[in-house]
Amino acid sequence: MAQISPDKRLLVICVDRDNDLGRKAGVQGPIIGKKNCLDAANKLGLIDPEDSDVNAILAAIKKFEEVKKDYPSSEVIILTGYDKTDYKSDKEILEQLETVLETLPSDGFVLVSDGAEDESVIPIITGRIPMISKQVIIVKQAKAIESTYYTIKEALKDSYISRIVFGI
């Protein structure tokens, strides 16, 4: 991970790759600034309090407060994708990132994510600015289920195990 001097700007980035904010709450990305991010989390939380993106946004704001102590010109943003997590979603995230970087040129970023799906955009973002850190937020009530899911998902990448499971 890259090292950045305190006079530089970092972005704390939260990604909503499947665009729950847009689809459910009518909030379009990019969302820039603590107040706007809080408003977005509030809107989504009131519509769907079980959506893990609410927790990720709040964690990004908390991380922003920590980062701002060392990098005063830093900012928190939310990038939103498309309804489906595919090419269109990644393209939308890249376009939003470029829009943000036009007005807020940055020297690095901290990613706050609610899981592996949103983390898949790391190469898109690191193509523009270096990653300093990442934090994955797992809702405590769902931690066992989510960790089991990802354990199984990783195990199925092994061709030997996947052949046994699927009987091929």
Side-chain angles (χ1 to χ4, degrees):
M1 306 252 178
Q3 294 294 324
I4 305 268
S5 64
D7 62 329
K8 304 294 184 179
R9 175 183 290 135
L10 298 183
L11 291 178
V12 177
I13 301 176
C14 183
V15 175
D16 175 18
R17 191 166 180 238
D18 60 355
N19 196 24
D20 289 332
L21 281 167
R23 286 183 300 110
K24 296 177 183 179
V27 178
Q28 300 304 314
I31 301 149
I32 302 170
K34 179 180 174 181
K35 182 186 181 317
N36 293 332
C37 290
L38 276 170
D39 289 344
N42 190 39
K43 286 179 183 176
L44 182 58
L46 289 172
I47 290 168
D48 185 359
E50 295 178 351
D51 194 310
S52 62
D53 286 316
V54 175
N55 292 296
I57 295 167
L58 294 174
I61 294 166
K62 180 181 178 188
K63 181 61 70 179
F64 164 69
E65 292 296 327
E66 294 170 18
V67 168
K68 195 158 178 76
K69 291 175 186 172
D70 295 326
Y71 302 95
S73 63
S74 296
E75 193 57 85
V76 60
I77 67 169
I78 305 168
L79 302 175
T80 60
Y82 189 70
D83 297 14
K84 298 175 183 169
T85 53
D86 62 2
Y87 164 78
K88 287 182 181 179
S89 186
D90 296 342
K91 181 177 176 282
E92 180 66 25
I93 288 168
L94 176 60
E95 289 171 1
Q96 289 181 22
L97 177 63
E98 289 176 347
T99 298
V100 168
L101 292 175
E102 286 175 11
T103 57
L104 291 170
S106 301
D107 302 289
F109 76 98
V110 175
L111 179 69
V112 179
S113 165
D114 65 352
E117 185 175 281
D118 291 340
E119 288 182 47
S120 67
V121 301
I122 290 174
I124 294 168
I125 301 171
T126 57
R128 302 299 185 269
I129 52 177
M131 182 165 76
I132 306 304
S133 177
K134 80 173 181 178
Q135 178 180 0
V136 178
I137 302 302
I138 298 175
V139 179
K140 290 178 182 167
Q141 292 84 349
K143 190 173 192 173
I145 294 169
E146 187 159 300
S147 66
T148 301
Y149 167 77
Y150 287 111
T151 301
I152 293 169
K153 183 178 172 185
E154 288 300 311
L156 290 176
K157 288 181 181 178
D158 181 333
S159 62
Y160 176 75
I161 293 173
S162 64
R163 279 183 272 161
I164 292 171
V165 170
F166 294 112
I168 298 171

